Amino acid sequence: MPHLSPRPTDHPDWEATLAAQHGVVTAGQLLRDFGLTQRHLLHQLDAGRWQRVLPRVYATFTGPLPEEARLRAALLYGGPSAVLSHHTAAERWGLMPPQPGPVHVTVRYGCSAVSQLPHVVVHRSRAHAHIVVGTDPPVTGRADTAIDVAVEEPTARAARQRLTDLIGTGRVGAGAVWRRLQQRPPRRYRKPLDEAVRLIAGGVQSVLEECYAVDVEQAHGLPAGRRQVPALVDGHTLYEDVTYDDAGVPLTVRLDGRTHLQPETALRDRRRDNAAELAGRSRLVFGWVEVSKQPCQVAAEVAAVLRRHRSDLGGSTCFRCSEGVVSA
């Protein structure tokens, strides 16, 4: 076949463009910026030297795309306004662990790009200009990312728990999320997301603690405990998950969301138990299974201890309770 010209390698910006875009280019760049013909492009594809990644987006190499090339291809497909968002942005910020799936990008309203599953999910935002952080590649801000991921959950409860979990990573602040919720009200789940931030401001630090606050305390009319209460043990300050001293009851509830197989952790908990016993405190310990699967039984046990000290703290039943479970 005769030589096809011009060649992209002859252009002074070719190598710099490939380096900046991780080997991925658009048809517009090839035809407009580098002067290629449609015939040359098809020749590279037919010869197996290049590959089509997305509509009008090509990789100038063969084989699987590295992660950065995959992200860049999605952004190039989305157009000049495209920014990494939702689960993809959450992974970039360290809010969620990397996992297989499409790249999520957000574009301005009016952009013609549509989702290309299983490779790209395209979202649209009317507040696009206010959610972008000028990194390379561009990404939505941490607080906006956390809200976007939560809003994609299928139920209000799942959205609240997702936001609690994301803030619990310590990589996005509850205050920043609260401000963005006021400035940019989400399209759904506004009240549950507000509630998640309120619970976190009150000391909730994990989904397990959120379940306890909502499904045990609130659902069963129990007093709201005080959370993350400092306790001095062997000269060290430790923090109790929930205490009920504010209700006049020396009760500590510990929520065990981890496996306590490490010797130092087991020793710490034994010393903390002994310190509570010496101080005349009652203690209850619950894990994920009890709180998430048997919240009514957990509430009954907490209520039983509360009633030893105050008969008016017996609680009430919830829609899941059998008749009289909590008050029995």
Side-chain angles (χ1 to χ4, degrees), residues 230-311:
L232 191 64
V233 179
D234 295 338
H236 299 283
T237 300
L238 303 177
Y239 292 87
E240 301 289 14
D241 294 315
V242 188
T243 66
Y244 291 92
D245 297 70
D246 291 350
V249 179
L251 167 63
T252 296
V253 171
R254 293 182 189 142
L255 302 173
D256 178 8
R258 299 162 295 180
T259 56
H260 286 186
L261 300 179
Q262 297 85 355
E264 64 275 12
T265 304
L267 174 61
R268 181 200 67 190
D269 288 343
R270 289 197 302 272
R271 296 300 300 154
R272 190 163 58 168
D273 279 342
N274 290 350
E277 180 64 30
L278 291 170
R281 300 188 62 82
S282 298
R283 301 172 309 285
L284 292 172
V285 181
F286 304 107
W288 173 254
V289 172
E290 302 100 288
V291 175
S292 65
K293 304 297 184 183
Q294 303 169 336
C296 301
Q297 181 60 38
V298 171
E301 294 177 14
V302 173
V305 177
L306 292 174
R307 283 200 308 273
R308 292 178 190 169
H309 300 267
R310 287 184 53 181
S311 59

Side-chain angles (χ1 to χ4, degrees), residues 11-26 29 33-34 72:
H11 197 285
D13 295 333
W14 177 250
E15 294 299 332
T17 299
L18 291 189
Q21 297 179 180
H22 300 277
V24 180
V25 291
T26 67
Q29 289 176 310
D33 299 340
F34 299 109
R72 187 63 62 175

Side-chain angles (χ1 to χ4, degrees), residues 157 160 195 198-199 209-225 227 244 291-292 294-300 303 314-322 325-327:
R157 182 60 189 278
R160 182 168 58 194
E195 175 71 4
R198 188 190 67 79
L199 289 171
E209 294 179 21
E210 188 269 351
C211 283
Y212 182 85
V214 174
D215 292 341
V216 176
E217 287 184 343
Q218 293 181 9
H220 295 89
L222 298 175
R227 290 171 167 77
Y244 291 92
V291 175
S292 65
Q294 303 169 336
C296 301
Q297 181 60 38
V298 171
S316 59
T317 60
C318 76
F319 71 94
R320 286 176 293 198
C321 288
S322 299
V325 163
V326 176
S327 60

Side-chain angles (χ1 to χ4, degrees), residues 126-149:
R126 299 188 186 278
H128 182 278
H130 306 288
I131 63 176
V132 181
V133 174
T135 56
D136 185 23
V139 64
T140 51
R142 295 178 193 240
D144 288 300
T145 297
I147 294 169
D148 287 342
V149 170

